[in-house]
Amino acid sequence: MNLSLLQNLSSASVLVVGDVMLDRYFNGDSQRISPEAPVPVVKISKIEDKAGGAANVARNIAHLDGKVGLLGIIGNDSAGESLQQLLAGEQIHSELFSQQHKPTIAKMRVVSRQQQIVRLDQEEMFSLDDAELLAERFAAVYQNYDVILFSDYNKGSLQQISKMIKLAKAAGKTVLVDPKQADLSVYAGADVITPNLGEFKTAGGKAGSVDEMLSSARELMQKAGLASILLTRSEQGMSLITATEHHHFPAQVLEVSDVTGAGDTVIATLAVMLSAGMSLHDATQLANLAAGIVVGKVGAATVSPEELAAKLNKDLFRQGDFYQTPFDKVLQHIQFARQNGERIVFTNGCFDILHAGHVRYLAQAKALGDRLVVGLNSDASVRRLKGEQRPINTLEDRATVLASLASVDWVVPFGDDLAENDTPLKLISTILPDVLVKGGDYSIDTIVGADVVIAHGGEVQVLTFVDGRSTSKVIRKIQDLQGNN
């Protein structure tokens, strides 16, 4: 995954077209049952309006720092006015046209103690004339965007979607669709559609087994003229299916508070990442992570770049075998963590035969910041420092054990280059940690790299090793036991 693209999300340019809605939340407390009917009585303490439907997709894109435009239809009413005010406040460039005959689509939810009690919908199908006016406006503006996203809630706004997709594809645009129609051929030409499992089955898909799901998805794609399907499968995660490949992404394990708007977050994240230049596979990985974040929130929530970055650091970069990752990629990970306000701690050592002293020392080092980078002497470096009988464990084994510790975020080897003189100075000068840690009886002026770190505004800490714990003592004890036998 090219993480540098995540630092340029403002370059993403997405036009969202579809059914816009107003989500209104009545929040309050419920402590008794109504005497009129067996329903809870909710005492409203707060009324909150949010952009919903296609407007929530646009809101998700804006919160990911992408440039976004929004086309949709509203009514000549207070709900429409509220929606336009919300969008203006979120820095979303919207072009919603008001028609006189139908109300703005509104969904009203009563929420008590973070649980939704009831939802009330106000909506009527928009006319074909309204949809044609929307398509005319689309033709005037779509060239200004790289990715076109259609958010179909089957409320009538997208009755001319086939015509709009043809225009977009003829201009070389990437087209994404969140579908609601049973006949997927109306989305012919789309690069990706993102149905949930229920929508997939309504369209004729089968999901009795993974093989059946894949074959039926490809059959639907071929008949409808679609390039790929990103199937959201609730607790089973997501499946990205193309004509020749498929990838399954497991659901993120989080406590689910509310699934409202999760599909909006998925397609919005996908659109932003594709527009920023990411591959479909990598964009889907991030969309899956974003979905895991948003379902832990109440209501039609969004995900910020900072939240997504934190989730990335936690879930994608703690997969072990860090010594096999090219250093430039590891450095990119570290820089991305720093960009999100995390303090980087660095320490180094041979860590041959990991023992309790090492574990406690590394935990103490990690406690001085947010991320711990461990510079690990190569096998050749350990031999030069400790003698030809060392290391006892290879670089691969030592790195694997270190990477399994909760305190360690990245393991980076050094010492194969003789110019490094078996010190981590080159690593320290490149990483420029916020905190440099050394264990033992050192003064700061004798610690390699201390001057570099301090010159760049960092700090140096000396930690005391645990008495009686050392690799040499472990080796001598093993030798003594062997001698006694």
Side-chain angles (χ1 to χ4, degrees):
M1 182 179 292
N2 187 351
L3 294 178
S4 64
L5 296 175
L6 287 169
Q7 300 177 14
N8 298 299
L9 297 185
S10 60
S11 67
S13 174
V14 184
L15 176 62
V16 178
V17 189
D19 297 304
V20 298
M21 307 174 189
L22 178 70
D23 283 338
R24 178 161 288 166
Y25 295 85
F26 295 88
N27 299 286
D29 192 19
S30 176
Q31 297 183 343
R32 64 190 180 94
I33 300 297
S34 171
E36 302 169 358
V39 295
V41 175
V42 180
K43 184 178 180 181
I44 301 301
S45 58
K46 179 182 179 183
I47 300 175
E48 183 179 15
D49 286 345
K50 290 186 178 182
N56 185 50
V57 177
R59 181 169 169 259
N60 271 268
I61 293 169
H63 283 218
L64 283 169
D65 291 341
K67 171 191 172 186
V68 60
L70 175 64
L71 295 181
I73 306 170
I74 57 174
N76 184 21
D77 51 27
S78 61
E81 292 176 1
S82 296
L83 181 55
Q84 296 205 76
Q85 290 173 3
L86 285 171
L87 295 170
E90 303 252 22
Q91 308 298 312
I92 295 171
H93 178 67
S94 64
E95 297 192 40
L96 308 182
F97 73 86
S98 174
Q99 46 73 52
Q100 303 294 321
H101 310 293
K102 306 290 173 65
T104 300
I105 300 170
K107 296 183 178 181
M108 293 155 281
R109 299 171 175 89
V110 178
V111 180
S112 176
R113 300 182 184 182
Q114 297 189 330
Q115 294 295 318
Q116 192 175 138
I117 305 299
V118 67
R119 192 181 91 181
L120 307 173
D121 291 0
Q122 176 180 280
E123 63 183 45
E124 293 183 43
M125 192 80 168
F126 293 121
S127 70
L128 179 59
D129 289 342
D130 293 331
E132 288 175 346
L133 288 173
L134 182 67
E136 288 176 10
R137 186 58 194 155
F138 172 83
V141 301
Y142 77 97
Q143 292 278 18
N144 299 325
Y145 301 87
D146 297 325
V147 173
I148 310 299
L149 190 164
F150 295 99
S151 180
D152 189 358
Y153 279 82
N154 198 23
K155 309 301 181 186
S157 302
L158 295 179
Q159 294 177 68
Q160 295 294 316
I161 188 172
S162 297
K163 181 190 298 184
M164 290 186 281
I165 290 176
K166 287 178 182 177
L167 272 177
K169 291 309 298 177
K173 306 297 183 182
T174 298
V175 175
L176 311 181
V177 181
D178 188 359
K180 284 295 184 292
Q181 307 299 322
D183 179 7
L184 297 182
S185 65
V186 299
Y187 309 122
D191 295 285
V192 189
I193 66 169
T194 61
N196 59 35
L197 202 54
E199 293 160 349
F200 177 68
K201 292 178 179 178
T202 298
K206 300 176 182 178
S209 67
V210 172
D211 288 341
E212 184 181 49
M213 177 188 73
L214 294 175
S215 62
S216 67
R218 288 180 174 131
E219 183 178 349
L220 287 173
M221 289 160 51
Q222 185 177 18
K223 288 181 178 179
L226 305 168
S228 61
I229 291 178
L230 174 56
L231 182 59
T232 56
R233 304 165 59 202
S234 300
E235 70 277 1
Q236 294 175 300
M238 299 180 184
S239 295
L240 176 62
I241 306 165
T242 70
T244 58
E245 297 180 5
H246 67 271
H247 304 277
H248 300 301
F249 301 87
Q252 300 302 300
V253 181
L254 283 175
E255 181 179 348
V256 176
S257 293
D258 194 342
V259 298
T260 303
D264 295 341
T265 299
V266 168
I267 197 167
T269 306
L270 190 70
V272 170
M273 300 308 161
L274 290 175
S275 184
M278 198 167 285
S279 70
L280 179 57
H281 175 275
D282 290 349
T284 303
Q285 276 189 303
L286 290 174
N288 189 44
L289 289 178
I293 296 170
V294 81
V295 297
K297 302 179 180 182
V298 176
T302 62
V303 175
S304 69
E306 292 76 19
E307 288 175 306
L308 193 53
K311 185 69 173 171
L312 268 170
N313 283 331
K314 180 179 179 181
D315 289 4
L316 296 183
F317 303 153
R318 287 200 53 78
Q319 298 175 358
D321 297 336
F322 295 124
Y323 66 95
Q324 294 182 352
T325 304
F327 178 62
D328 60 336
K329 294 295 184 184
V330 174
L331 184 61
Q332 198 173 61
H333 298 176
I334 294 168
Q335 290 171 339
F336 195 57
R338 178 179 281 122
Q339 179 185 340
N340 292 295
E342 297 181 88
R343 276 166 62 87
I344 306 301
V345 182
F346 180 93
T347 192
N348 66 278
C350 299
F351 297 102
D352 192 14
I353 306 183
L354 197 72
H355 52 71
H358 288 141
V359 174
R360 292 175 186 172
Y361 166 74
L362 292 170
Q364 290 176 335
K366 175 63 173 285
L368 297 172
D370 301 294
R371 297 282 172 180
L372 177 61
V373 186
V374 177
L376 185 61
N377 292 76
S378 68
D379 291 345
S381 177
V382 175
R383 280 193 292 272
R384 289 192 292 269
L385 293 170
K386 305 291 186 179
E388 288 299 319
Q389 301 303 313
R390 302 280 298 276
I392 301 300
N393 293 301
T394 65
L395 173 66
E396 179 177 347
D397 288 348
R398 289 181 287 129
T400 298
V401 173
L402 281 172
S404 70
L405 297 178
S407 58
V408 176
D409 293 285
W410 295 284
V411 178
V412 184
F414 70 92
D416 277 338
D417 184 355
L418 289 176
E420 292 177 327
N421 195 29
D422 295 321
T423 75
L425 180 60
K426 183 177 178 181
L427 275 183
I428 294 169
S429 300
T430 304
I431 294 171
L432 294 175
D434 299 292
V435 186
L436 174 62
V437 179
K438 193 66 180 175
D441 187 17
Y442 284 90
S443 60
I444 290 178
D445 60 341
T446 62
I447 296 175
V448 172
D451 55 339
V452 174
V453 172
I454 292 171
H456 282 82
E459 61 182 270
V460 181
Q461 296 280 348
V462 179
L463 301 180
T464 303
F465 281 137
V466 178
D467 289 339
R469 304 287 196 280
S470 75
T471 299
S472 298
K473 288 185 177 181
V474 171
I475 293 173
R476 284 198 296 271
K477 186 173 182 178
I478 293 172
Q479 290 172 338
D480 291 342
L481 289 172
Q482 288 177 331
N484 291 333
N485 289 336

